[in-house]
Amino acid sequence: MEDMKSITSRDNQWVKLACSLKQKKGRQSQRRVLVEGIRIVADAAEQGICDAVCFVAPKGRENSRFPWLYERGLALGWTFFSVTDSVYDKLADTRSPQGIAAMVPFFTYTMETLPDIGAEKAVLYLRSVQDPGNLGTIIRTAAAADGGLILLSEDSVDVYNDKTIRSAMGAIFKIPLVQHVTDEQLARFCADQHRHLYGTAASGSVSYASANYAQPVVLAFGNEGNGLDDAFLSRCDDVVTIPMRSNTESLNLSMAVGIVLYKAWESRNFKE
């Protein structure tokens, strides 16, 4: 590791570039995102993300996982820079910096470049979701519950928002994501893959517990405040609901997604 290039100036061009990725404009311009922490950077390497640029402070080099990360990163074409604590402080956004951060190329898919996810896995469609923490939690839950894919509508929060990435942790690399999905693209996807579109609403006619998840499905959820609008629900094959006691507030979006998604997974994989 002694051949790692060194950065000692906070005004270094690589440092400035990395800091620019903290803003959406910078991320869109460079088609890269800045991620921080040994866990998420190692997950990027484990998932085969190529051409990252990694910044390593003294604390990061002391981490027991760093030797593996360094060797794996080199095999993937990563560039490594050894940086001083002062330089790393400029890069860091977390309260307890771990001394490792990386600029990672955008990793989302388009509807035309989707991998084969298998018909048995449920697909999530998130419409107008606004809270980055909610989205991150949903991504993490979907990865844990063997979700096949997450589609986000055109006006949903940015997947590359730093709060989304922190909430999702390494799961951000473990499930395919597509942003800016139009209604027409969603309809075509469902038709091409013969997927049943389940909307979700408090007024739904089918309990989530009795819905048919054996068929290929897309599970659609609306935003935190208003849910799915009536026009969208009218285009769904069925509308499912989570029964609740009367006079209670609706569930948090990420919790509602988790309940339905885990039921879909259980129905497919844990039959008696």
Side-chain angles (χ1 to χ4, degrees):
M1 300 181 198
E2 298 305 321
D3 59 346
M4 199 185 309
K5 297 177 181 178
S6 178
I7 295 177
T8 59
S9 171
R10 290 164 63 96
D11 292 323
N12 177 275
Q13 61 177 348
W14 286 103
V15 176
K16 290 182 177 180
L17 179 59
C19 289
S20 76
L21 304 185
K22 297 179 182 182
Q23 304 298 322
K24 185 175 182 179
K25 181 179 179 180
R27 295 193 295 270
Q28 293 294 335
S29 173
Q30 298 297 322
R31 306 291 297 172
R32 288 177 176 269
V33 62
L34 182 66
V35 298
E36 184 182 353
I38 182 63
R39 188 170 184 177
I40 190 168
V41 176
D43 278 333
E46 187 173 336
Q47 295 300 315
I49 302 295
C50 296
D51 300 322
V53 177
C54 192
F55 303 92
V56 189
K59 183 177 181 180
R61 295 185 69 162
E62 294 170 0
N63 191 289
S64 61
R65 296 188 68 188
F66 179 66
W68 173 87
L69 173 64
Y70 184 72
E71 294 301 322
R72 174 67 172 161
L74 289 180
L76 291 168
W78 289 25
T79 299
F80 286 85
F81 290 110
S82 174
V83 300
T84 63
D85 287 331
S86 175
V87 168
Y88 193 84
D89 286 344
K90 186 173 181 178
L91 296 170
D93 250 355
T94 56
R95 293 182 179 179
S96 303
Q98 298 178 8
I100 295 179
M103 293 193 298
V104 178
F106 276 7
F107 45 82
T108 47
Y109 291 84
T110 68
M111 296 301 285
E112 292 71 37
T113 63
L114 283 176
D116 181 12
I117 59 172
E120 75 282 358
K121 292 190 177 185
V123 171
L124 288 181
Y125 171 67
L126 305 178
R127 189 175 181 84
S128 306
V129 174
Q130 299 300 305
D131 188 290
N134 258 344
L135 176 56
T137 302
I138 290 169
I139 292 170
R140 193 173 174 184
T141 301
D146 199 31
L149 169 68
I150 298 177
L151 308 174
L152 294 109
S153 68
E154 294 176 282
D155 56 347
S156 287
V157 66
D158 183 16
V159 165
Y160 299 108
N161 182 290
D162 60 336
K163 291 181 180 178
T164 298
I165 289 177
R166 284 202 297 269
S167 297
M169 302 181 69
I172 198 82
F173 301 114
K174 295 179 179 178
I175 184 167
L177 303 159
V178 183
Q179 299 194 101
H180 314 302
V181 177
T182 67
D183 287 349
E184 292 75 15
Q185 287 176 315
L186 177 64
R188 193 180 313 122
F189 174 79
C190 290
D192 290 347
Q193 296 209 1
H194 306 289
R195 286 185 177 269
H196 195 85
L197 179 60
Y198 279 128
T200 54
S203 58
S205 57
V206 180
S207 169
Y208 83 97
S210 58
N212 179 10
Y213 302 108
Q215 61 189 334
V217 296
V218 172
L219 307 174
F221 294 83
N223 77 1
E224 294 82 354
N226 302 312
L228 295 170
D229 59 71
D230 290 340
F232 181 87
L233 289 172
S234 69
R235 298 194 295 271
C236 294
D237 298 304
D238 278 305
V239 179
V240 302
T241 187
I242 300 173
M244 296 176 57
R245 288 179 55 189
S246 60
N247 300 318
T248 54
E249 293 294 327
S250 60
L251 294 172
N252 171 274
L253 174 62
S254 59
M255 181 173 290
V257 171
I259 289 171
V260 178
L261 191 57
Y262 267 98
K263 185 62 181 180
W265 189 36
E266 177 188 53
S267 299
R268 297 192 315 271
N269 294 281
F270 300 97
K271 298 178 181 179
E272 294 183 0

